[in-house]
Amino acid sequence: MKKLNTFLVLVSLLCISVTDGFAQFKVSGTVNDEGGQPLIGVNILVAGTNVGTVTDIDGTFSLNVPTDEGNLLFSYTGFREKTVAVSKATPSVVVVMSEDISNLSEVVITGLASSVKRSNLGNAVATLSSEQITGVTSQQTLDGALYGKIPGINITQTTGAPGGGFATRLRGVTSLSGNNQPLIILDGVYISNAEIPSGLRFASGANAGNEEGAANRLADINPDDIERIEVLKGASAAAIYGTRANGGVIIITTKKGKSGKTKVSLDQDFGANRIIRFVGRKNYTAAEVEEAFGPAERDLFNQAVASGRLTDYEKEIYGETGFITDTRLTVSGGNDRTNFFFGGSVRDEDGIIKNTGYNRNSVRLNLNHKISDNIDFSSYTSYVNSEASRAFTGNENEGGLSFGYNLAFTRDWNWLFPDENGNYPNNPTASGNPIFVRDRTQNLDGVNRFIQGVSGTWRIFTDDNTSLRLVANGGVDYLANKTFVYVPENHQAQVGTTNGFVAQGSNSVFNRNMQVMGVFDKYTASGLSFSTQAGVSW
């Protein structure tokens, strides 16, 4: 009898063990967006347990559900959380996630190796999508495309010259003498947004280099390559990135390819630049001219009227219609291991002043490759060549070069055009002839820029409730800038003084950065998840 009881106990324990074994089942599936594209890195948790996982590069997943049935909780960047019931009868599921319009569940990038939900943020982060950046047509420069679209950012146009000229400041961040521009990070690469003076002020009489109206180098980035922009405005930005981020951080993410059929897109825009509203010139009568300037000026006025040489010089200088062409080619696609995005752009834009304009040629190649089931690698490569002819449109008032300043003293009955031998007359009522400045002077700015970013993720191990991964990224930003300023020796303000002016500048900027982070994730039985990370940033 004793042996029989022992045997029954063993059988009972075996049955319990078998029952428990049958209670656990394996569920697998795929997570896609509403367009049918797989989503990589979706967080999946079994409700009420500490069992969780993430989708791989194909959007697939697999995990063990410890009960006969349960609910899977799906969460992902920019998408609404979703709950899916599973059981032994449904061991395979296909989950379609929809975008989160409210953005409260949106996961944002803060510069670390992990991310955080917007609703859990301790500081302000503003985001902008590619549709919001470029809208239905291409923008000239990225800083111009951001104008008025992000709350809390003051973007001021410092010059209307072709090729950009915007000062970007986060609201509340000011300085009388220091650099208070935000730090800009493109695909993990710290990039320069330097405003490089050309030496124009030494010919024009401007007080400082910041009065030259130089272009800032954010203008080099093609707005059509951008997938997403995030702006960190809180104090935590400096805690993550150091003192360079005292003015905030702008994080730019470019577009990536998606697995599937290769897609080719060719877009072309045509447009024109024209002045919106002229300030206007006073329409003098002969009597008004004599009253204001004397009888000699009245004679000159009458001669100009009789010969048809009465000229509205404001319309003469600013009245050009600048033709704009923008051509863009994108090719994207890939397979289950590699996807790519190629973008090329050619933009040619004439200014509203004769002999001014802006030309930008850019190419970009983004590659994402799955080396193995646990190792992913990404490369972001871009090259930009741009040239701008900006004329003398800044805040100069002593050298006879600034259009606006000289026009204020130029009288419309003074004939300032060249004779049959190409000789320009001096301006009798101002320190410079604006027609001479428009036709004979040069203020050129050229840029060659190479930006290379790389990143990699190694998922060291993953089980039902823990994961450990190593994330590394870094890159280089090399900028070669050349400027050329030329004022002929026969410009009236140069004669007898410096007798002409030539300045050629050559500047280079080289930025390098690297970051390596280890990230440990833990799922608890209560449904909470914890993320801990440690690493080094250089």
Side-chain angles (χ1 to χ4, degrees):
M1 182 60 68
K2 184 176 181 180
K3 291 181 178 180
L4 179 60
N5 290 336
T6 302
F7 175 75
L8 292 175
V9 170
L10 291 174
V11 171
S12 299
L13 291 174
L14 179 61
C15 290
I16 293 173
S17 177
V18 170
T19 301
D20 289 342
F22 279 116
Q24 176 176 296
F25 70 95
K26 186 175 184 179
V27 62
S28 60
T30 303
V31 183
N32 300 324
D33 61 15
E34 293 176 313
Q37 296 296 324
L39 298 177
I40 306 169
V42 177
N43 290 310
I44 306 168
L45 181 69
V46 179
T49 72
N50 60 350
V51 178
T53 187
V54 295
T55 57
D56 60 18
I57 196 170
D58 303 316
T60 61
F61 70 93
S62 176
L63 55 74
N64 293 318
V65 179
T67 56
D68 287 331
E69 57 185 21
N71 292 320
L72 301 184
L73 306 178
F74 296 81
S75 59
Y76 189 59
T77 304
F79 289 78
R80 282 196 289 266
E81 290 186 348
K82 189 164 187 176
T83 302
V84 176
V86 293
S87 65
K88 293 181 181 179
T90 57
S92 180
V93 294
V94 176
V95 179
V96 177
M97 301 188 69
S98 56
E99 292 187 7
D100 179 23
I101 299 176
S102 68
N103 286 332
L104 292 177
S105 298
E106 178 185 16
V107 179
V108 299
I109 302 170
T110 61
L112 300 175
S114 61
S115 53
V116 62
K117 285 185 180 180
R118 180 179 297 277
S119 56
N120 295 334
L121 279 173
N123 60 297
V125 176
T127 60
L128 209 61
S129 67
S130 59
E131 290 80 8
Q132 293 171 304
I133 296 170
T134 56
V136 295
T137 187
S138 177
Q139 302 293 316
Q140 181 196 63
T141 60
L142 178 57
D143 42 12
L146 296 179
Y147 191 88
K149 295 179 180 177
I150 301 181
I153 293 188
N154 292 327
I155 299 179
T156 305
Q157 188 168 8
T158 58
T159 172
F166 291 83
T168 304
R169 304 289 187 272
L170 298 187
R171 190 173 299 159
V173 179
T174 58
S175 172
L176 292 176
S177 59
N179 180 15
N180 51 16
Q181 290 200 79
L183 173 64
I184 304 201
I185 300 176
L186 175 68
D187 291 324
V189 182
Y190 290 36
I191 68 170
S192 170
N193 190 34
E195 297 176 3
I196 303 176
S198 64
L200 181 70
R201 66 188 185 277
F202 298 114
S204 64
N207 293 322
N210 58 9
E211 292 187 353
E212 294 184 6
N216 48 315
R217 297 278 48 100
L218 187 59
D220 297 332
I221 302 173
N222 182 9
D224 293 285
D225 288 344
I226 306 303
E227 177 66 30
R228 176 187 180 93
I229 292 178
E230 295 178 348
V231 180
L232 276 66
K233 296 178 284 186
S236 63
I240 298 171
Y241 292 103
T243 56
R244 288 183 66 181
N246 284 339
V249 182
I250 297 178
I251 301 175
I252 303 173
T253 304
T254 58
K255 296 177 181 178
K256 299 179 181 179
K258 296 181 179 180
S259 301
K261 187 177 179 180
T262 299
K263 297 180 179 179
V264 180
S265 174
L266 178 64
D267 299 290
Q268 191 163 44
D269 293 340
F270 298 96
N273 276 329
R274 281 198 300 268
I275 191 170
I276 297 175
R277 184 178 65 253
F278 290 98
V279 174
R281 310 282 285 177
K282 178 176 174 56
N283 294 318
Y284 284 94
T285 64
E288 289 173 334
V289 171
E290 182 174 0
E291 180 181 358
F293 306 108
E297 284 296 309
R298 177 171 184 163
D299 292 340
L300 295 175
F301 176 82
N302 289 331
Q303 292 173 21
V305 173
S307 62
R309 289 189 169 188
L310 192 65
T311 305
D312 185 336
Y313 282 105
E314 184 188 17
K315 291 184 178 179
E316 183 65 34
I317 296 297
Y318 298 111
E320 293 290 316
T321 297
F323 188 59
I324 305 171
T325 62
D326 194 301
T327 304
R328 304 176 302 279
L329 172 68
T330 61
V331 183
S332 63
N335 54 32
D336 57 345
R337 302 195 69 85
T338 304
N339 56 65
F340 65 91
F341 172 86
F342 170 82
S345 171
V346 176
R347 184 178 183 91
D348 191 4
E349 180 172 346
D350 296 327
I352 63 172
I353 301 174
K354 187 179 179 180
N355 299 324
T356 65
Y358 175 68
N359 177 266
R360 182 188 64 219
N361 305 302
S362 68
V363 291
R364 168 172 293 280
L365 179 62
N366 291 349
L367 295 173
N368 304 94
H369 179 63
K370 184 178 181 182
I371 299 175
S372 67
D373 291 340
N374 297 321
I375 301 176
D376 301 332
F377 172 80
S378 298
S379 171
Y380 311 93
T381 307
S382 66
Y383 170 75
V384 179
N385 167 262
S386 67
E387 296 178 349
S389 177
R390 304 173 64 82
F392 289 77
T393 57
N395 186 29
E396 315 93 19
N397 54 19
E398 296 176 3
L401 296 171
S402 172
F403 290 121
Y405 189 82
N406 282 314
L407 285 175
F409 297 95
T410 297
R411 298 170 186 174
D412 290 348
W413 52 91
N414 294 334
W415 186 249
L416 302 179
F417 294 91
D419 59 21
E420 62 276 5
N421 296 318
N423 298 315
Y424 291 77
N426 289 342
N427 191 341
T429 58
S431 56
N433 179 344
I435 303 300
F436 178 95
V437 173
R438 180 194 68 181
D439 296 345
R440 297 292 310 281
T441 63
Q442 295 184 51
N443 178 19
L444 308 179
D445 187 328
V447 168
N448 283 291
R449 189 171 197 174
F450 175 78
I451 302 175
Q452 175 66 61
V454 294
S455 65
T457 301
W458 176 25
R459 289 176 287 276
I460 300 174
F461 75 84
T462 301
D463 59 23
D464 287 344
N465 57 7
T466 58
S467 69
L468 175 64
R469 69 185 187 273
L470 189 68
V471 180
N473 65 69
V476 296
D477 172 27
Y478 176 73
L479 164 66
N481 168 256
K482 292 186 180 297
T483 59
F484 181 74
V485 177
Y486 169 64
V487 182
E489 67 278 4
N490 56 342
H491 179 267
Q492 68 184 75
Q494 294 285 328
V495 175
T497 56
T498 57
N499 293 315
F501 180 85
V502 176
Q504 182 162 328
S506 180
N507 309 277
S508 63
V509 179
F510 189 37
N511 283 342
R512 294 166 289 168
N513 69 282
M514 181 184 68
Q515 178 177 271
V516 180
M517 289 281 182
V519 184
F520 179 76
D521 294 310
K522 175 73 174 179
Y523 299 93
T524 68
S526 61
L528 296 175
S529 61
F530 295 90
S531 181
T532 302
Q533 59 187 319
V536 60
S537 179
W538 173 78

